[in-house]
Amino acid sequence: QKEVEQDPGPLSVPEGAIVSLNCTYSNSAFQYFMWYRQYSRKGPELLMYTYSSGNKEDGRFTAQVDKSSKYISLFIRDSQPSDSATYLCALREADVNYGQNFVFGPGTRLSVLP
Amino acid sequence: GAGVSQSPSNKVTEKGKDVELRCDPISGHTALYWYRQSLGQGLEFLIYFQGNSAPDKSGLPSDRFSAERTGGSVSTLTIQRTQQEDSAVYLCASRAGPETETQYFGPGTRLLVL
């Protein structure tokens, strides 16, 4: 089993739809949870960051972490064609040891159709 | 200010040749990461530099891969005796320091080994 699983898609939705993107993980030591957005032929950019369990909202985006189920989600409301990109989850343990490696999911490709 | 830059943007090489990929991080960022991204795969961690400490090389796939960071700034990833399976996008990211979560990615170098 991979450390982080993510539905690769592609996921196609009509403009205005609510989108749900998800990652599951196996390492219970993960404490920091991030979502990155990657446009075609660009590097990823940080979209949302959450520490431990709970919800975080930023405009049309909501990140949700359920540590008991080892499940994280990104919701996009009123999706726009400009949201078309690959979305990667990234997780990190809360250790203070040197290394602080991030583990990335494989990404879900999203297309929002006008 | 300027973001993370990488060069070259694209590199085509023949199997068995050596290649050097360059990363210019954001000025003042003490942490620098190299990742590899293959089609349909997540970001694979390669190496991590933090300040003047010894780098975390735990992600390097073989001894053909090496990286250095000179003066705590520019980094070079070297792949010796390239193989076709080395074909991928190589991404560099910098981070202000271990106390921050945001990684800023460059646009990547697309490497094709023929």
Side-chain angles (χ1 to χ4, degrees), chain A residues 14-114:
Chain A
E15 183 175 355
I18 296 174
V19 177
S20 172
L21 304 166
N22 311 295
C23 281
T24 58
Y25 62 93
S26 56
N27 183 355
S28 58
F30 287 134
Q31 294 281 352
Y32 295 89
F33 306 92
M34 288 138 282
W35 285 96
Y36 280 80
R37 178 175 62 194
Q38 185 176 22
Y39 290 115
S40 181
R41 302 185 75 79
K42 301 284 188 184
E45 56 179 339
L46 183 67
L47 199 58
M48 300 281 285
Y49 151 65
T50 312
Y51 172 70
S52 197
S53 283
N55 292 357
K56 185 173 184 178
E57 190 173 319
D58 183 2
R60 296 185 295 109
F61 299 89
T62 299
Q64 192 173 77
V65 175
D66 181 350
K67 289 186 66 183
S68 62
S69 302
K70 298 191 181 69
Y71 190 87
I72 64 173
S73 300
L74 177 70
F75 298 97
I76 307 174
R77 289 184 300 280
D78 187 26
S79 55
Q80 303 294 310
S82 58
D83 295 328
S84 298
T86 296
Y87 290 81
L88 303 107
C89 60
L91 300 82
R92 185 174 78 78
E93 295 183 25
D95 65 279
V96 294
N97 293 329
Y98 183 74
Q100 300 188 358
N101 297 338
F102 293 75
V103 179
F104 283 80
T108 297
R109 207 170 95 220
L110 171 68
S111 292
V112 181
L113 307 174

Side-chain angles (χ1 to χ4, degrees), chain B residues 71-95:
Chain B
S73 181
V74 172
S75 177
T76 303
L77 177 69
T78 301
I79 309 173
Q80 296 178 310
R81 304 180 303 282
T82 52
Q83 304 294 310
Q84 288 181 330
E85 60 263 28
D86 298 334
S87 297
V89 177
Y90 289 83
L91 289 157
C92 171
S94 72
R95 185 175 164 211

